[in-house]
Amino acid sequence: MLRRALPGRCAFCLARCMPNVPWCGPCLAVLPWNRHACVQCAEPLPEASPRYCGHCLRRPPAFAVARIGLRYEDEIALLLRRFKFGYDPRAGNLLVSLMNESLAGLEREQLPELLIALPRHRQRAREQGFDPGPWLTERLAARLGLPWYQPRRLHATPSQRGLDRLARRRNLKGAFAVETALPERIALVDDVMTTGASLDALAVACRGAGARHVEAWAVARTPLGH
C-alpha cells in the first residue's frame, strides 16, 4: 500500500517513476529494445532485413516464435549479471517487470496455456543455491495469471562459452525430460538467449510431450558476434 501511495524512484536514474512501474519514461525509452529482430529466434537484425535470419532459414529451431524484448547490452547486461551472479532479487524483480512490459501488447488469446522454465541441472543449481530460469518463470507466471512447469535436466552439460551454434546443439541433445503431457500452446522461459540451443533442445522435448505451438521467451537476446 505504501509503495502505491508514495512516489517511487526510477530503478535506473532515481527520478520519479511512472505510475505502477519501477522506471521513468525517459529511461524506459532509451533501454536497448530489440525492435528489429528475427521473428523465429529474435536475433537482432538491421532495420531493412527480412523477417527471418539466415540461421532460421537454413535450420529453423523447434520453437516457432521468439518474444525477447531487449538486447543483452548496457543497463540490461548489468542487471542480468547482478541477478545471475550476484543473486540480487531486486534486479530479478526489475527484469520480470521489463519482461512483462515487453509482452504487454499480446492479446489474451495469444498467450500460451503454460509457461515452461528452462532449468539448470539440479547439481549446479544446488552448488550455486539458485536457478534463474524457474525463479523468473514463477514470477512471470504470477503476473500473467498462467500456470508453469519445470522439466528435468538429465545431465550437467559442459560450459557453452566459446562454442559455436552447432557445437552447442550437440552438447544439449537429449538434455531435458518432460514428464507430463503438455497443452498445445506453451512458452519456454529463460533469462538470456545466446544462440538458442538450450531453448531449441527444450522445445524438442516439449513437442515430444504433446506441445504443438512452442514459443521462446527471454529477458534479453545476445546480439550476433557477442
PDB file of all heavy atoms in Angstrom, residues 119-144:
ATOM      1  N   PRO A 119      15.541 -25.087 -16.871  1.00  0.00           N
ATOM      2  CA  PRO A 119      16.278 -25.249 -15.614  1.00  0.00           C
ATOM      3  C   PRO A 119      17.764 -25.537 -15.814  1.00  0.00           C
ATOM      4  O   PRO A 119      18.191 -26.024 -16.863  1.00  0.00           O
ATOM      5  CB  PRO A 119      15.597 -26.480 -15.005  1.00  0.00           C
ATOM      6  CG  PRO A 119      15.282 -27.322 -16.213  1.00  0.00           C
ATOM      7  CD  PRO A 119      14.960 -26.357 -17.343  1.00  0.00           C
ATOM      8  N   ARG A 120      18.541 -25.245 -14.798  1.00  0.00           N
ATOM      9  CA  ARG A 120      19.891 -25.791 -14.692  1.00  0.00           C
ATOM     10  C   ARG A 120      19.793 -27.246 -14.236  1.00  0.00           C
ATOM     11  O   ARG A 120      18.756 -27.683 -13.748  1.00  0.00           O
ATOM     12  CB  ARG A 120      20.698 -25.017 -13.655  1.00  0.00           C
ATOM     13  CG  ARG A 120      21.114 -23.623 -14.080  1.00  0.00           C
ATOM     14  CD  ARG A 120      21.808 -22.915 -12.943  1.00  0.00           C
ATOM     15  NE  ARG A 120      22.412 -21.668 -13.390  1.00  0.00           N
ATOM     16  CZ  ARG A 120      22.891 -20.748 -12.574  1.00  0.00           C
ATOM     17  NH1 ARG A 120      22.831 -20.924 -11.266  1.00  0.00           N
ATOM     18  NH2 ARG A 120      23.426 -19.647 -13.052  1.00  0.00           N
ATOM     19  N   HIS A 121      20.895 -27.990 -14.359  1.00  0.00           N
ATOM     20  CA  HIS A 121      20.934 -29.306 -13.737  1.00  0.00           C
ATOM     21  C   HIS A 121      20.870 -29.122 -12.222  1.00  0.00           C
ATOM     22  O   HIS A 121      21.431 -28.157 -11.675  1.00  0.00           O
ATOM     23  CB  HIS A 121      22.227 -30.033 -14.135  1.00  0.00           C
ATOM     24  CG  HIS A 121      22.287 -31.450 -13.688  1.00  0.00           C
ATOM     25  ND1 HIS A 121      22.875 -31.821 -12.505  1.00  0.00           N
ATOM     26  CD2 HIS A 121      21.809 -32.583 -14.255  1.00  0.00           C
ATOM     27  CE1 HIS A 121      22.766 -33.131 -12.364  1.00  0.00           C
ATOM     28  NE2 HIS A 121      22.132 -33.609 -13.417  1.00  0.00           N
ATOM     29  N   ARG A 122      20.194 -30.043 -11.539  1.00  0.00           N
ATOM     30  CA  ARG A 122      19.965 -29.862 -10.085  1.00  0.00           C
ATOM     31  C   ARG A 122      21.278 -29.758  -9.310  1.00  0.00           C
ATOM     32  O   ARG A 122      21.339 -29.065  -8.287  1.00  0.00           O
ATOM     33  CB  ARG A 122      19.089 -30.994  -9.539  1.00  0.00           C
ATOM     34  CG  ARG A 122      19.657 -32.381  -9.654  1.00  0.00           C
ATOM     35  CD  ARG A 122      18.688 -33.423  -9.099  1.00  0.00           C
ATOM     36  NE  ARG A 122      19.181 -34.780  -9.261  1.00  0.00           N
ATOM     37  CZ  ARG A 122      19.046 -35.501 -10.347  1.00  0.00           C
ATOM     38  NH1 ARG A 122      18.402 -34.992 -11.397  1.00  0.00           N
ATOM     39  NH2 ARG A 122      19.525 -36.728 -10.428  1.00  0.00           N
ATOM     40  N   GLN A 123      22.336 -30.424  -9.783  1.00  0.00           N
ATOM     41  CA  GLN A 123      23.624 -30.345  -9.066  1.00  0.00           C
ATOM     42  C   GLN A 123      24.185 -28.930  -9.144  1.00  0.00           C
ATOM     43  O   GLN A 123      24.653 -28.378  -8.142  1.00  0.00           O
ATOM     44  CB  GLN A 123      24.606 -31.345  -9.673  1.00  0.00           C
ATOM     45  CG  GLN A 123      25.978 -31.326  -8.993  1.00  0.00           C
ATOM     46  CD  GLN A 123      26.955 -32.290  -9.659  1.00  0.00           C
ATOM     47  OE1 GLN A 123      26.546 -33.264 -10.277  1.00  0.00           O
ATOM     48  NE2 GLN A 123      28.236 -31.999  -9.545  1.00  0.00           N
ATOM     49  N   ARG A 124      24.117 -28.326 -10.337  1.00  0.00           N
ATOM     50  CA  ARG A 124      24.623 -26.962 -10.484  1.00  0.00           C
ATOM     51  C   ARG A 124      23.760 -25.967  -9.720  1.00  0.00           C
ATOM     52  O   ARG A 124      24.262 -25.028  -9.112  1.00  0.00           O
ATOM     53  CB  ARG A 124      24.676 -26.587 -11.967  1.00  0.00           C
ATOM     54  CG  ARG A 124      25.819 -27.263 -12.688  1.00  0.00           C
ATOM     55  CD  ARG A 124      26.024 -26.689 -14.056  1.00  0.00           C
ATOM     56  NE  ARG A 124      27.163 -27.311 -14.704  1.00  0.00           N
ATOM     57  CZ  ARG A 124      27.454 -27.193 -15.983  1.00  0.00           C
ATOM     58  NH1 ARG A 124      26.662 -26.462 -16.754  1.00  0.00           N
ATOM     59  NH2 ARG A 124      28.511 -27.780 -16.497  1.00  0.00           N
ATOM     60  N   ALA A 125      22.450 -26.169  -9.765  1.00  0.00           N
ATOM     61  CA  ALA A 125      21.553 -25.278  -9.019  1.00  0.00           C
ATOM     62  C   ALA A 125      21.830 -25.383  -7.515  1.00  0.00           C
ATOM     63  O   ALA A 125      21.819 -24.376  -6.797  1.00  0.00           O
ATOM     64  CB  ALA A 125      20.102 -25.625  -9.322  1.00  0.00           C
ATOM     65  N   ARG A 126      22.096 -26.616  -7.049  1.00  0.00           N
ATOM     66  CA  ARG A 126      22.381 -26.817  -5.629  1.00  0.00           C
ATOM     67  C   ARG A 126      23.711 -26.175  -5.243  1.00  0.00           C
ATOM     68  O   ARG A 126      23.836 -25.557  -4.182  1.00  0.00           O
ATOM     69  CB  ARG A 126      22.385 -28.316  -5.323  1.00  0.00           C
ATOM     70  CG  ARG A 126      22.424 -28.644  -3.838  1.00  0.00           C
ATOM     71  CD  ARG A 126      22.015 -30.082  -3.560  1.00  0.00           C
ATOM     72  NE  ARG A 126      22.738 -31.033  -4.382  1.00  0.00           N
ATOM     73  CZ  ARG A 126      22.175 -31.856  -5.268  1.00  0.00           C
ATOM     74  NH1 ARG A 126      20.868 -31.827  -5.451  1.00  0.00           N
ATOM     75  NH2 ARG A 126      22.898 -32.692  -5.976  1.00  0.00           N
ATOM     76  N   GLU A 127      24.716 -26.300  -6.100  1.00  0.00           N
ATOM     77  CA  GLU A 127      26.029 -25.718  -5.825  1.00  0.00           C
ATOM     78  C   GLU A 127      25.949 -24.195  -5.715  1.00  0.00           C
ATOM     79  O   GLU A 127      26.597 -23.590  -4.866  1.00  0.00           O
ATOM     80  CB  GLU A 127      27.020 -26.095  -6.934  1.00  0.00           C
ATOM     81  CG  GLU A 127      27.488 -27.537  -6.877  1.00  0.00           C
ATOM     82  CD  GLU A 127      28.254 -27.949  -8.129  1.00  0.00           C
ATOM     83  OE1 GLU A 127      28.376 -27.097  -9.053  1.00  0.00           O
ATOM     84  OE2 GLU A 127      28.720 -29.098  -8.195  1.00  0.00           O
ATOM     85  N   GLN A 128      25.147 -23.589  -6.595  1.00  0.00           N
ATOM     86  CA  GLN A 128      25.045 -22.133  -6.596  1.00  0.00           C
ATOM     87  C   GLN A 128      23.910 -21.613  -5.730  1.00  0.00           C
ATOM     88  O   GLN A 128      23.823 -20.422  -5.459  1.00  0.00           O
ATOM     89  CB  GLN A 128      24.888 -21.642  -8.037  1.00  0.00           C
ATOM     90  CG  GLN A 128      26.104 -21.998  -8.883  1.00  0.00           C
ATOM     91  CD  GLN A 128      26.069 -21.345 -10.256  1.00  0.00           C
ATOM     92  OE1 GLN A 128      25.163 -20.598 -10.585  1.00  0.00           O
ATOM     93  NE2 GLN A 128      27.063 -21.648 -11.063  1.00  0.00           N
ATOM     94  N   GLY A 129      23.026 -22.535  -5.312  1.00  0.00           N
ATOM     95  CA  GLY A 129      21.916 -22.128  -4.464  1.00  0.00           C
ATOM     96  C   GLY A 129      20.861 -21.308  -5.178  1.00  0.00           C
ATOM     97  O   GLY A 129      20.068 -20.611  -4.532  1.00  0.00           O
ATOM     98  N   PHE A 130      20.816 -21.428  -6.514  1.00  0.00           N
ATOM     99  CA  PHE A 130      19.954 -20.521  -7.270  1.00  0.00           C
ATOM    100  C   PHE A 130      19.795 -21.060  -8.686  1.00  0.00           C
ATOM    101  O   PHE A 130      20.736 -21.573  -9.283  1.00  0.00           O
ATOM    102  CB  PHE A 130      20.616 -19.144  -7.309  1.00  0.00           C
ATOM    103  CG  PHE A 130      19.890 -18.113  -8.124  1.00  0.00           C
ATOM    104  CD1 PHE A 130      18.624 -17.709  -7.772  1.00  0.00           C
ATOM    105  CD2 PHE A 130      20.500 -17.548  -9.225  1.00  0.00           C
ATOM    106  CE1 PHE A 130      17.956 -16.743  -8.525  1.00  0.00           C
ATOM    107  CE2 PHE A 130      19.853 -16.583  -9.964  1.00  0.00           C
ATOM    108  CZ  PHE A 130      18.580 -16.179  -9.613  1.00  0.00           C
ATOM    109  N   ASP A 131      18.573 -20.964  -9.225  1.00  0.00           N
ATOM    110  CA  ASP A 131      18.305 -21.376 -10.598  1.00  0.00           C
ATOM    111  C   ASP A 131      17.491 -20.268 -11.260  1.00  0.00           C
ATOM    112  O   ASP A 131      16.301 -20.106 -10.990  1.00  0.00           O
ATOM    113  CB  ASP A 131      17.530 -22.698 -10.617  1.00  0.00           C
ATOM    114  CG  ASP A 131      17.549 -23.358 -11.980  1.00  0.00           C
ATOM    115  OD1 ASP A 131      17.928 -22.688 -12.957  1.00  0.00           O
ATOM    116  OD2 ASP A 131      17.195 -24.546 -12.076  1.00  0.00           O
ATOM    117  N   PRO A 132      18.114 -19.456 -12.121  1.00  0.00           N
ATOM    118  CA  PRO A 132      17.432 -18.251 -12.618  1.00  0.00           C
ATOM    119  C   PRO A 132      16.201 -18.516 -13.468  1.00  0.00           C
ATOM    120  O   PRO A 132      15.231 -17.750 -13.400  1.00  0.00           O
ATOM    121  CB  PRO A 132      18.519 -17.537 -13.439  1.00  0.00           C
ATOM    122  CG  PRO A 132      19.564 -18.553 -13.705  1.00  0.00           C
ATOM    123  CD  PRO A 132      19.512 -19.527 -12.584  1.00  0.00           C
ATOM    124  N   GLY A 133      16.200 -19.590 -14.280  1.00  0.00           N
ATOM    125  CA  GLY A 133      15.060 -19.856 -15.156  1.00  0.00           C
ATOM    126  C   GLY A 133      13.758 -20.065 -14.394  1.00  0.00           C
ATOM    127  O   GLY A 133      12.758 -19.357 -14.626  1.00  0.00           O
ATOM    128  N   PRO A 134      13.695 -21.024 -13.470  1.00  0.00           N
ATOM    129  CA  PRO A 134      12.478 -21.211 -12.677  1.00  0.00           C
ATOM    130  C   PRO A 134      12.116 -19.995 -11.827  1.00  0.00           C
ATOM    131  O   PRO A 134      10.930 -19.700 -11.633  1.00  0.00           O
ATOM    132  CB  PRO A 134      12.813 -22.429 -11.804  1.00  0.00           C
ATOM    133  CG  PRO A 134      13.823 -23.187 -12.621  1.00  0.00           C
ATOM    134  CD  PRO A 134      14.651 -22.132 -13.285  1.00  0.00           C
ATOM    135  N   TRP A 135      13.123 -19.290 -11.300  1.00  0.00           N
ATOM    136  CA  TRP A 135      12.856 -18.089 -10.483  1.00  0.00           C
ATOM    137  C   TRP A 135      12.078 -17.071 -11.311  1.00  0.00           C
ATOM    138  O   TRP A 135      11.052 -16.531 -10.870  1.00  0.00           O
ATOM    139  CB  TRP A 135      14.178 -17.497 -10.002  1.00  0.00           C
ATOM    140  CG  TRP A 135      14.093 -16.497  -8.897  1.00  0.00           C
ATOM    141  CD1 TRP A 135      14.302 -16.714  -7.567  1.00  0.00           C
ATOM    142  CD2 TRP A 135      13.792 -15.090  -9.016  1.00  0.00           C
ATOM    143  NE1 TRP A 135      14.144 -15.544  -6.857  1.00  0.00           N
ATOM    144  CE2 TRP A 135      13.833 -14.530  -7.723  1.00  0.00           C
ATOM    145  CE3 TRP A 135      13.486 -14.261 -10.091  1.00  0.00           C
ATOM    146  CZ2 TRP A 135      13.587 -13.188  -7.475  1.00  0.00           C
ATOM    147  CZ3 TRP A 135      13.232 -12.905  -9.847  1.00  0.00           C
ATOM    148  CH2 TRP A 135      13.284 -12.386  -8.549  1.00  0.00           C
ATOM    149  N   LEU A 136      12.557 -16.780 -12.519  1.00  0.00           N
ATOM    150  CA  LEU A 136      11.872 -15.826 -13.389  1.00  0.00           C
ATOM    151  C   LEU A 136      10.503 -16.340 -13.815  1.00  0.00           C
ATOM    152  O   LEU A 136       9.526 -15.590 -13.848  1.00  0.00           O
ATOM    153  CB  LEU A 136      12.726 -15.563 -14.637  1.00  0.00           C
ATOM    154  CG  LEU A 136      13.994 -14.737 -14.465  1.00  0.00           C
ATOM    155  CD1 LEU A 136      14.824 -14.795 -15.745  1.00  0.00           C
ATOM    156  CD2 LEU A 136      13.668 -13.287 -14.118  1.00  0.00           C
ATOM    157  N   THR A 137      10.439 -17.628 -14.161  1.00  0.00           N
ATOM    158  CA  THR A 137       9.197 -18.197 -14.684  1.00  0.00           C
ATOM    159  C   THR A 137       8.086 -18.136 -13.651  1.00  0.00           C
ATOM    160  O   THR A 137       6.939 -17.792 -13.968  1.00  0.00           O
ATOM    161  CB  THR A 137       9.421 -19.649 -15.129  1.00  0.00           C
ATOM    162  OG1 THR A 137      10.522 -19.704 -16.036  1.00  0.00           O
ATOM    163  CG2 THR A 137       8.196 -20.217 -15.817  1.00  0.00           C
ATOM    164  N   GLU A 138       8.395 -18.477 -12.422  1.00  0.00           N
ATOM    165  CA  GLU A 138       7.381 -18.456 -11.363  1.00  0.00           C
ATOM    166  C   GLU A 138       6.772 -17.069 -11.205  1.00  0.00           C
ATOM    167  O   GLU A 138       5.548 -16.909 -11.105  1.00  0.00           O
ATOM    168  CB  GLU A 138       8.003 -18.916 -10.042  1.00  0.00           C
ATOM    169  CG  GLU A 138       7.024 -18.937  -8.889  1.00  0.00           C
ATOM    170  CD  GLU A 138       7.646 -19.375  -7.570  1.00  0.00           C
ATOM    171  OE1 GLU A 138       8.894 -19.495  -7.492  1.00  0.00           O
ATOM    172  OE2 GLU A 138       6.883 -19.604  -6.617  1.00  0.00           O
ATOM    173  N   ARG A 139       7.616 -16.048 -11.227  1.00  0.00           N
ATOM    174  CA  ARG A 139       7.131 -14.687 -11.014  1.00  0.00           C
ATOM    175  C   ARG A 139       6.432 -14.123 -12.250  1.00  0.00           C
ATOM    176  O   ARG A 139       5.448 -13.395 -12.130  1.00  0.00           O
ATOM    177  CB  ARG A 139       8.305 -13.796 -10.575  1.00  0.00           C
ATOM    178  CG  ARG A 139       8.702 -14.102  -9.128  1.00  0.00           C
ATOM    179  CD  ARG A 139      10.147 -13.798  -8.810  1.00  0.00           C
ATOM    180  NE  ARG A 139      10.434 -14.163  -7.428  1.00  0.00           N
ATOM    181  CZ  ARG A 139      10.680 -15.409  -7.017  1.00  0.00           C
ATOM    182  NH1 ARG A 139      10.663 -16.418  -7.882  1.00  0.00           N
ATOM    183  NH2 ARG A 139      10.933 -15.660  -5.742  1.00  0.00           N
ATOM    184  N   LEU A 140       6.929 -14.463 -13.428  1.00  0.00           N
ATOM    185  CA  LEU A 140       6.241 -14.024 -14.643  1.00  0.00           C
ATOM    186  C   LEU A 140       4.877 -14.697 -14.769  1.00  0.00           C
ATOM    187  O   LEU A 140       3.896 -14.053 -15.153  1.00  0.00           O
ATOM    188  CB  LEU A 140       7.105 -14.332 -15.869  1.00  0.00           C
ATOM    189  CG  LEU A 140       6.544 -13.864 -17.209  1.00  0.00           C
ATOM    190  CD1 LEU A 140       6.414 -12.344 -17.255  1.00  0.00           C
ATOM    191  CD2 LEU A 140       7.411 -14.361 -18.360  1.00  0.00           C
ATOM    192  N   ALA A 141       4.804 -15.977 -14.435  1.00  0.00           N
ATOM    193  CA  ALA A 141       3.524 -16.696 -14.483  1.00  0.00           C
ATOM    194  C   ALA A 141       2.506 -16.050 -13.553  1.00  0.00           C
ATOM    195  O   ALA A 141       1.320 -15.916 -13.905  1.00  0.00           O
ATOM    196  CB  ALA A 141       3.742 -18.158 -14.105  1.00  0.00           C
ATOM    197  N   ALA A 142       2.944 -15.621 -12.380  1.00  0.00           N
ATOM    198  CA  ALA A 142       2.027 -14.955 -11.442  1.00  0.00           C
ATOM    199  C   ALA A 142       1.516 -13.637 -12.021  1.00  0.00           C
ATOM    200  O   ALA A 142       0.335 -13.301 -11.883  1.00  0.00           O
ATOM    201  CB  ALA A 142       2.736 -14.718 -10.109  1.00  0.00           C
ATOM    202  N   ARG A 143       2.395 -12.893 -12.702  1.00  0.00           N
ATOM    203  CA  ARG A 143       1.968 -11.617 -13.306  1.00  0.00           C
ATOM    204  C   ARG A 143       0.935 -11.856 -14.411  1.00  0.00           C
ATOM    205  O   ARG A 143      -0.001 -11.070 -14.574  1.00  0.00           O
ATOM    206  CB  ARG A 143       3.169 -10.902 -13.921  1.00  0.00           C
ATOM    207  CG  ARG A 143       4.299 -10.567 -12.969  1.00  0.00           C
ATOM    208  CD  ARG A 143       4.128  -9.218 -12.331  1.00  0.00           C
ATOM    209  NE  ARG A 143       5.290  -8.890 -11.519  1.00  0.00           N
ATOM    210  CZ  ARG A 143       6.170  -7.939 -11.831  1.00  0.00           C
ATOM    211  NH1 ARG A 143       5.989  -7.212 -12.929  1.00  0.00           N
ATOM    212  NH2 ARG A 143       7.195  -7.700 -11.050  1.00  0.00           N
ATOM    213  N   LEU A 144       1.130 -12.918 -15.187  1.00  0.00           N
ATOM    214  CA  LEU A 144       0.265 -13.171 -16.340  1.00  0.00           C
ATOM    215  C   LEU A 144      -0.956 -14.028 -16.001  1.00  0.00           C
ATOM    216  O   LEU A 144      -1.825 -14.220 -16.851  1.00  0.00           O
ATOM    217  CB  LEU A 144       1.076 -13.864 -17.447  1.00  0.00           C
ATOM    218  CG  LEU A 144       2.233 -13.053 -18.045  1.00  0.00           C
ATOM    219  CD1 LEU A 144       3.045 -13.918 -18.998  1.00  0.00           C
ATOM    220  CD2 LEU A 144       1.723 -11.814 -18.745  1.00  0.00           C
TER     221      LEU A 144
END
